[in-house]
Amino acid sequence: MWSGLFFGLGSDGTISANKMSLKIIGERTSLYTQGYFEYDSKKSGSMTVSHLRICDKPIRSTYRIVEADFIAVHDEKFFHTRDVLSAAKEGAILLVNTVREKEKFFSALPPSVQDTIFKIKLKVFLINAYAVAASMGLGRRINTIMQVCFFKLTPFLTIDEALEALKSHIEQTWGRRGREIVMRNVAGLELALAALEQLDYSQISREQTSGKLATTGENDFVSKVTIPLLRGMGDSLPVSTFPPDGSWPTGTAKLEKRQLATQIPVWQSELCVQCNFCVMICPHAAIRSKIVAPSEIKDPPENFSSLPVQFSEELASYHFVLAVAPEDCTGCGLCIEVCPARDRKMPKRKALVPQDFHTTLGPAKAEWEYFLSLPSVPVREIPPDRRTLVLREPLFEFPGACAGCGETPYIRLLTQLFGDHLVIANATGCSSIYGANLPTTPYTKNNEGQGPAWANSLFEDNAEFGFGISLALAQKEREAFEKLRLLKDKIPPSLWHKVHEKGVGDLWAWQRRKAIQELALYLRDIGEESDFLNSLLPKSVWIIGGDGWAYDIGYGGLDHVLASRQKINILVLDTEVYSNTGGQASKATPLGAAAKFASSGKRTRKKDLGLLAMSYGHVYVAQIALQANSKHAVECFLEAASYPGPSLLLAHCPCIAHGYDLRLSPQQQKRAIASGMWPLYRYNPLLVEKGETPLILDSGKPTLDVAQYMENESRFTMVQLRDPEEYEKLIEMARLAVKQRYAYYEQLSHIHLPKES
């Protein structure tokens, strides 16, 4: 029996390719095949393991492979995080995808890996699959490239037979996405064979130590639990290792150091205009800026830069600094794409330029660590806007989301607005997976130990779950104020007013917390109980979930919450598809888009959740698009948080399921707005009492044809390839839907409603 282990990177196509390989071998030979695949719910960017068995007899093995004839490592960083060679037989084949030159590959391996390769005489083959994929316009999808190398190095088919089979399967798999995608993948097969080369390491000197992978951690729990789990050794941990109360430390996503990027942005400070667009759009909080006192910048690393603050007269005596977390950056390129600053002599050169990860890693790490050590000037007193808000410390960092994710910037922004007093009820979905899937969580805390409180509910009842949290906290606050009222005669008036002052935002929360701490000390000094004051600490409750929850399965509960007049905030991360479960159509899927259960194009209009919420008359509603208009998004967050009743924010979230390069999502989001497919608006019932119309159309009348928006996403063009005539009909239906919706909204925006008596 032949056995093979394949270590892939989630979303690189490794598992799909291995399933196809087993199918090809099973259909074209008399051999039996078996496949078992390991991957966690952080599907994109995490390690996947494929166990393949091939034999001339029926296979009845019901266990993981422990002795492998073939090992493929589809990302070389796994040598530094996992023991990927533990199952290798003597003389086994080792296929590695590496960006390093052949002469430098071996010396970059950990000493223990070098020792293993020498000891069991592995046959090592190298290929830079990322370079091949990039040259063919395939991005990071290296599946067909590594697949043809597998067939070249194994005896099951001749290479001609394998190429014929692979071309046939490529046609079947990608034909519906267009001829160009098929031709790119087919061309990649020949390039891969030419790029594959064997490494002769017999004459290479190596370190004579048998070092182990680093086991550093912040505390005992991290060292004993988190790090082993990150290395795939969770099955070996005894139950006694885990905390009996189920509590886990926060802020652990920073330990993963996923190193997904092949290129990372490097700051060209002399071109920077300090707009902070790059920091605002980053899905992983991997690029950050600070305002620091010049006197604090002591002994910086070589090439570390700072600039006098240009955007505020009050801060003109301070310096602006920016840095990138190189090992946490996913290389999505969004920050470079939105950077407006260009070199006049070389217009293609921006204030952020992409540079090779491996050559930049050392200096970038030093700059990042120095950046973190610099004390920021107090920024909570600076009025929050698009530019200044991201100067605050994010309490959501390095989530395990896809590169270029459109959801995570909204959550990061939420923590920068309300993070130290934020309470989140999170529906199951992408946001719960990258948000708190063990063993790490991106939610973290500030230096004072304050940060978001997060809980995950079932998919269908998250609105009720968050509603219950809000009601409970409100009741505890009322009881605490009632106890405090009985002590009013003993409390100084100034302190009484501080505690009762209402507000919203980071500054108010900080002032309220200080006032409560002062009051607690005063009550203890006069011999009164003070524990009940904890219920008066500021809290901003948010219900968060995706469109599958809000528009479909959880809509009944959502509607129940909106119908109440309870002060609560709802953030819908709308990708217009069931992103976490494989791309099924939801009621948020736009007319004309292809998705599972709507492969010929959805023929019904997108559910207008905002309009349904407006019908109650007492719900604040806003439709936002952070990547295209961050100023509008920030304003809506602040208005929603300060509104005294329920608020609903509908956030447009670009997703890999839309079928285009997410690096271009800011432009595509602008097309969605300009075409009327995603109009920006606000419905604020408080305006009625001022005699104004409650509905404000922020994006104005559509100026772009719907077809010009749809032609950039394969979820629409797939329909065109399948049935061009039907596609034209769907476009006409979409045009009509946009016109009718805008006409309806425009009329509503001119209606003046009577005030409440």
Side-chain angles (χ1 to χ4, degrees):
M1 183 186 297
W2 180 94
S3 300
L5 283 172
F6 298 74
F7 298 91
L9 194 65
S11 79
D12 69 359
T14 295
I15 290 179
S16 298
N18 284 328
K19 289 179 178 179
M20 184 194 295
S21 296
L22 292 177
K23 190 169 188 281
I24 290 172
I25 294 169
E27 290 176 346
R28 294 182 176 246
T29 72
S30 60
L31 298 172
Y32 295 86
T33 64
Q34 181 195 69
Y36 174 74
F37 307 96
E38 297 180 55
Y39 49 91
D40 68 15
S41 49
K42 292 180 184 175
K43 295 173 282 292
S44 179
S46 62
M47 193 179 82
T48 66
V49 185
S50 301
H51 300 252
L52 272 58
R53 290 187 173 97
I54 301 170
C55 189
D56 57 0
K57 297 177 182 178
I59 302 170
R60 311 207 185 279
S61 303
T62 57
Y63 48 88
R64 294 169 176 160
I65 290 173
V66 293
E67 289 188 328
D69 302 280
F70 183 98
I71 291 181
V73 181
H74 289 193
D75 195 300
E76 62 184 308
K77 72 169 178 287
F78 294 145
F79 287 116
H80 299 269
T81 59
R82 300 285 185 96
D83 189 2
V84 293
L85 302 183
S86 61
K89 289 181 180 178
E90 184 168 347
I93 292 174
L94 173 62
L95 171 64
V96 183
N97 169 33
T98 176
V99 298
R100 300 182 191 276
E101 297 175 6
K102 183 169 70 170
E103 296 75 16
K104 298 179 180 179
F105 167 75
F106 198 83
S107 60
L109 294 173
S112 59
V113 176
Q114 296 180 19
D115 289 345
T116 300
I117 291 174
F118 268 97
K119 184 177 180 180
I120 61 176
K121 303 179 178 63
L122 297 182
K123 301 181 183 72
V124 182
F125 292 84
L126 306 178
I127 182 172
N128 188 343
Y130 290 135
V132 175
S135 68
M136 301 312 301
L138 298 175
R140 295 180 68 90
R141 298 283 294 187
I142 62 171
N143 49 337
T144 54
I145 297 164
M146 300 304 290
Q147 189 177 17
V148 73
C149 294
F150 158 75
F151 278 111
K152 175 69 175 176
L153 300 174
T154 54
F156 308 115
L157 295 173
T158 67
I159 192 60
D160 290 334
E161 292 172 330
L163 285 172
E164 179 191 350
L166 288 172
K167 289 174 182 178
S168 174
H169 276 271
I170 287 170
E171 184 73 44
Q172 294 174 26
T173 304
W174 300 107
R176 60 196 175 103
R177 289 186 177 266
R179 195 69 201 160
E180 184 180 355
I181 299 296
V182 172
M183 296 307 297
R184 287 178 184 177
N185 277 276
V186 169
L189 299 177
E190 300 290 350
L191 285 176
L193 292 175
L196 180 66
E197 54 186 347
Q198 186 169 5
L199 174 66
D200 180 8
Y201 55 86
S202 59
Q203 304 301 317
I204 299 177
S205 61
R206 70 187 195 277
E207 297 184 40
Q208 297 300 317
T209 60
S210 55
K212 296 182 179 180
L213 300 176
T215 58
T216 57
E218 288 192 337
N219 54 49
D220 195 47
F221 182 91
V222 167
S223 298
K224 291 183 177 180
V225 179
T226 307
I227 296 297
L229 286 172
L230 287 175
R231 292 193 178 138
M233 298 186 291
D235 290 346
S236 64
L237 295 178
V239 173
S240 58
T241 308
F242 298 91
D245 63 353
S247 62
W248 289 64
T250 58
T252 47
K254 64 186 177 184
L255 301 172
E256 293 194 52
K257 306 299 180 191
R258 298 194 295 163
Q259 295 188 7
L260 298 181
T262 55
Q263 291 185 316
I264 58 175
V266 176
W267 189 36
Q268 312 299 298
S269 58
E270 70 277 12
L271 299 177
C272 184
V273 295
Q274 302 175 23
C275 64
N276 269 337
F277 280 133
C278 56
V279 185
M280 175 63 80
I281 204 170
C282 181
H284 293 82
I287 183 167
R288 301 185 196 174
S289 59
K290 272 184 186 178
I291 304 299
V292 301
S295 59
E296 297 289 351
I297 304 176
K298 303 170 184 176
D299 301 320
E302 186 179 0
N303 298 325
F304 185 85
S305 300
S306 67
L307 301 170
V309 173
Q310 300 172 355
F311 56 83
S312 169
E313 291 184 6
E314 293 82 0
L315 299 172
S317 61
Y318 295 100
H319 275 214
F320 175 89
V321 294
L322 185 141
V324 175
E327 296 176 292
D328 302 295
C329 173
T330 62
C332 68
L334 277 169
C335 56
I336 299 172
E337 191 67 26
V338 298
C339 179
R342 295 178 182 270
D343 189 332
R344 292 182 180 179
K345 295 181 180 179
M346 300 173 60
K348 290 186 178 181
R349 179 173 174 257
K350 294 186 172 186
L352 288 170
V353 297
Q355 292 189 9
D356 177 72
F357 172 80
H358 289 287
T359 57
T360 313
L361 177 60
K365 279 181 69 175
E367 290 177 17
W368 174 251
E369 290 167 4
Y370 183 77
F371 172 87
L372 293 178
S373 71
L374 290 174
S376 171
V377 302
V379 293
R380 59 167 57 96
E381 296 182 20
I382 301 174
D385 60 26
R386 176 203 58 76
R387 191 198 302 256
T388 62
L389 187 55
V390 290
L391 295 171
R392 300 180 181 183
E393 180 186 10
L395 299 181
F396 179 83
E397 60 181 8
F398 318 134
C402 303
C405 175
E407 294 187 3
T408 52
Y410 292 101
I411 301 178
R412 188 216 65 238
L413 180 61
L414 193 63
T415 69
Q416 289 171 309
L417 279 165
F418 318 112
D420 64 356
H421 60 290
L422 181 62
V423 179
I424 297 175
N426 204 138
T428 299
C430 281
S431 55
S432 72
I433 299 308
Y434 60 65
N437 196 35
L438 297 179
T440 63
T441 174
Y443 289 100
T444 186
K445 57 193 177 216
N446 58 26
N447 291 332
E448 297 173 341
Q450 298 150 357
W454 184 96
N456 168 232
S457 174
L458 296 173
F459 193 20
E460 66 272 16
D461 68 359
N462 186 56
E464 299 94 319
F465 179 61
F467 190 45
I469 292 173
S470 179
L471 288 173
L473 292 174
Q475 177 61 27
K476 293 181 73 173
E477 184 181 63
R478 282 192 294 270
E479 292 174 356
F481 272 126
E482 180 59 27
K483 288 183 179 180
L484 194 59
R485 187 184 64 81
L486 300 176
L487 299 171
K488 184 176 181 179
D489 293 341
K490 300 181 180 181
I491 300 173
S494 60
L495 191 51
W496 174 270
H497 290 302
K498 282 183 184 178
V499 173
H500 284 77
E501 186 177 351
K502 295 186 179 297
V504 67
D506 189 47
L507 178 59
W508 166 80
W510 178 76
Q511 292 171 339
R512 175 78 169 267
R513 186 176 289 110
K514 294 298 182 185
I516 290 172
Q517 290 172 351
E518 185 181 348
L519 179 57
L521 290 173
Y522 179 81
L523 290 180
R524 284 197 289 269
D525 286 343
I526 64 173
E528 296 289 347
E529 178 196 357
S530 63
D531 290 346
F532 70 92
L533 293 177
N534 287 331
S535 297
L536 299 181
L537 290 171
K539 298 172 187 71
S540 182
V541 181
W542 288 76
I543 298 172
I544 298 177
D547 53 276
W549 158 73
Y551 286 74
D552 289 3
I553 296 175
Y555 175 68
L558 180 71
D559 181 62
H560 177 72
V561 174
L562 293 176
S564 76
R565 290 184 175 270
Q566 178 70 20
K567 168 58 192 161
I568 194 164
N569 309 290
I570 302 169
L571 173 62
V572 179
L573 303 167
D574 192 351
T575 62
E576 302 186 322
V577 71
Y578 282 84
S579 301
N580 186 54
T581 54
Q584 295 83 6
S586 76
K587 291 186 184 70
T589 301
L591 194 156
K596 291 179 181 177
F597 307 129
S599 58
S600 299
K602 187 165 173 277
R603 297 187 61 81
T604 55
R605 296 182 182 182
K606 179 185 176 80
K607 182 177 183 178
D608 199 334
L609 187 58
L611 187 61
L612 290 168
M614 288 182 221
S615 66
Y616 281 114
H618 64 259
V619 181
Y620 175 92
V621 186
Q623 193 153 282
I624 60 178
L626 184 146
Q627 293 180 319
N629 194 330
S630 56
K631 179 178 181 293
H632 176 259
V634 169
E635 289 173 354
C636 291
F637 266 107
L638 292 170
E639 288 179 3
S642 62
Y643 182 71
S647 69
L648 175 66
L649 293 183
L650 302 172
H652 185 274
C653 300
C655 177
I656 57 172
H658 296 171
Y660 68 96
D661 185 351
L662 291 185
R663 177 178 57 85
L664 305 175
S665 57
Q667 294 95 313
Q668 184 63 358
Q669 199 174 71
K670 289 176 182 177
R671 293 188 191 100
I673 296 167
S675 67
M677 293 289 279
W678 189 270
L680 303 184
Y681 63 80
R682 282 171 283 181
Y683 181 88
N684 190 345
L686 295 179
L687 296 179
V688 175
E689 299 305 309
K690 298 180 180 180
E692 302 174 20
T693 58
L695 180 61
I696 302 170
L697 299 181
D698 294 299
S699 55
K701 189 174 183 178
T703 57
L704 185 74
D705 182 44
V706 167
Q708 291 179 269
Y709 162 70
M710 296 169 71
E711 68 186 9
N712 290 287
E713 299 186 15
S714 66
R715 59 173 173 163
F716 297 109
T717 57
M718 284 168 62
V719 181
Q720 183 182 31
L721 291 169
R722 179 187 289 253
D723 190 339
E725 186 176 337
E726 177 67 13
Y727 180 67
E728 290 302 319
K729 292 179 182 178
L730 291 171
I731 286 180
E732 286 303 318
M733 292 168 65
R735 287 186 180 122
L736 178 61
V738 165
K739 289 177 182 177
Q740 290 183 344
R741 179 170 59 180
Y742 182 78
Y744 189 51
Y745 279 13
E746 188 177 33
Q747 292 182 60
L748 290 177
S749 69
H750 294 299
I751 294 176
H752 289 263
L753 301 175
K755 302 178 183 180
E756 290 188 15
S757 56

